[in-house]
Amino acid sequence: MSQPSVLFVCLGNICRSPLAEAALRARAVEAGVAITIDSAGTGDWHVGRPPDPRAQALALAHGIDISSYRARQVTAEDFHRFGHVYALDPQNLKDLHRIEPSHHIADLRLLMDMVPGRKGTAVIDPYYGDEHDFEQAWADVCAAADALVKRFRR
Ligand code: 4NP
């Protein structure tokens, strides 16, 4: 069986989805599980830019350097390249359904649906928020990363 592939999608690809990418990369290495991981945004405002400095600082505080990540916009082609596409919030999921090709291989769902007790909930957008909002987003993407590693370890 080929290795699982995961794409995380938020709005700007500079806060939540890069943190989700970082968390899953770290957890996958710790668990010895090989997963192809990427992230993207539904919007194009930040394409080519590194993650928000607050997200970079937060990841680094947890030992993960995400300064080399660069934002990109999700494409219809991604639905043919990734087995799993996870939306960080319900609006992202709606926007993904809008560009979803009629036939594709991706299992598209809300990320927090993977976490017991969090079905239907969002990883709250911390962009206009404060440090606490970033910490909350980090806690959420780490809980999701743990659930995904468990799932893909099987
Ligand atoms: P993200 O956060 O979707 O978690 O990357 C945001 C980044 C930028 C904007 C909104 C949310 N923005 O409006 O530019």
Side-chain angles (χ1 to χ4, degrees), residues 9-18 41 45-46 52 88-89 92 123-128:
V9 181
C10 63
L11 177 59
N13 193 209
I14 57 167
C15 296
R16 293 165 293 170
S17 61
W45 312 284
H46 302 282
D52 185 287
L88 276 278
D89 71 28
N92 303 147
V123 177
I124 299 296
D125 185 354
Y127 186 68
Y128 293 106

Side-chain angles (χ1 to χ4, degrees), residues 85-103:
V85 176
Y86 293 114
L88 276 278
D89 71 28
Q91 182 61 51
N92 303 147
L93 183 61
K94 264 189 207 159
D95 293 339
L96 285 166
H97 278 306
R98 212 169 290 144
I99 64 157
E100 180 183 18
S102 47
H103 299 284

